[in-house]
Amino acid sequence: MDVTLHLAQDPEADELLGRSPLAALVGMLLDQQVPMEWAFKGPRTIADRLGASDLDAHDIAAQDPEAFVALLSEKPAVHRYPGSMAKRIQQLCQYLVEHYDGEAELVWKGVEDGRELLRRLEELPGFGKQKAQIFLALLGKQLGVRPQGWREAAGAYGEAKSFRSVADITGPESLTKVRAHKQEMKAAAKAAKAAGKS
């Protein structure tokens, strides 16, 4: 992996995401209940605070849980919920150590079927179906990981020329389009919920 991503809209953070499979997974894990850029800046912040140039699953898995929470809680906090996210990141890294020798890239490397890759992503701690599909779309659209049937397995997120998720962000213009789509989805969900109450 060595591509330029534009998810954090921060050159140093995006550079790490583009070369580090674990950083990309951790950024995806953090992408909830905070702005996308904040989530994807998280891996760079964590690496900096660990005094490292990259994230290491073995190192993070072995961190003292309270010390790791403190690391994520330092101002500015890595996430709105640094305590629960520190725990989730450690669970993800422990899973990667246990199942993939700590190498995040082995989750997708050599996988030839999109459904199999989706299954592997869904097994990761903190990755439900939607998060797994979005990450699968990111792998296919921007990171060159395209097993047979990847677009179908990624569902709507795999559609070409769509602006539904982080998989479609390649710069400020596409970020604006994705953000607009997310706001439309929230408004539609809110309207549907309100209609159900009346």
Side-chain angles (χ1 to χ4, degrees):
M1 249 176 67
D2 195 9
V3 298
T4 302
L5 294 178
H6 300 279
L7 307 180
Q9 302 291 300
D10 171 281
E12 286 183 16
D14 283 328
E15 185 274 331
L16 178 61
L17 294 169
R19 70 173 160 83
S20 170
L22 180 56
L25 276 178
V26 169
M28 191 73 228
L29 184 66
L30 290 168
D31 187 22
Q32 56 191 44
Q33 299 178 308
V34 294
M36 290 175 280
E37 302 95 311
W38 184 4
F40 284 97
K41 202 179 273 192
R44 173 84 262 165
T45 304
I46 295 167
D48 288 346
R49 290 179 185 174
L50 287 171
S53 63
D54 196 355
L55 299 182
D56 181 295
H58 292 277
D59 179 43
I60 292 172
Q63 290 280 324
D64 172 73
E66 287 180 20
F68 196 61
V69 168
L71 184 107
L72 266 69
S73 300
E74 276 177 40
K75 300 275 189 259
V78 169
H79 194 275
R80 182 180 292 158
Y81 303 107
S84 60
M85 281 305 176
K87 186 177 177 184
R88 285 188 181 178
I89 291 168
Q90 282 199 291
Q91 287 171 338
L92 173 64
C93 289
Q94 287 158 356
Y95 183 89
L96 291 171
V97 167
E98 201 176 310
H99 297 272
Y100 296 101
D101 197 29
E103 297 296 327
E105 191 175 25
L106 295 181
V107 174
W108 55 83
K109 195 171 185 180
V111 177
E112 294 178 9
D113 179 74
R115 286 172 306 196
E116 167 64 13
L117 179 48
L118 180 64
R119 184 189 65 74
R120 286 178 171 213
L121 290 168
E122 285 185 72
E123 286 176 351
L124 297 174
F127 278 68
K129 182 168 185 174
Q130 183 182 35
K131 195 174 282 286
Q133 285 186 311
I134 291 170
F135 194 78
L136 175 54
L138 177 65
L139 286 170
K141 289 180 175 183
Q142 296 199 47
L143 299 172
V145 177
R146 300 181 181 113
Q148 191 168 353
W150 72 270
R151 282 193 191 274
E152 294 76 9
Y157 302 106
E159 289 175 11
K161 296 187 175 84
S162 66
F163 294 96
R164 286 191 166 83
S165 72
V166 298
D168 305 304
I169 297 172
T170 55
E173 190 181 318
S174 51
L175 172 65
T176 302
K177 289 179 182 177
V178 169
R179 188 162 277 134
H181 175 77
K182 285 187 166 206
Q183 286 167 345
E184 284 171 28
M185 295 285 89
K186 277 184 185 169
K190 201 173 183 179
K193 193 174 180 183
K197 282 183 179 172
S198 55

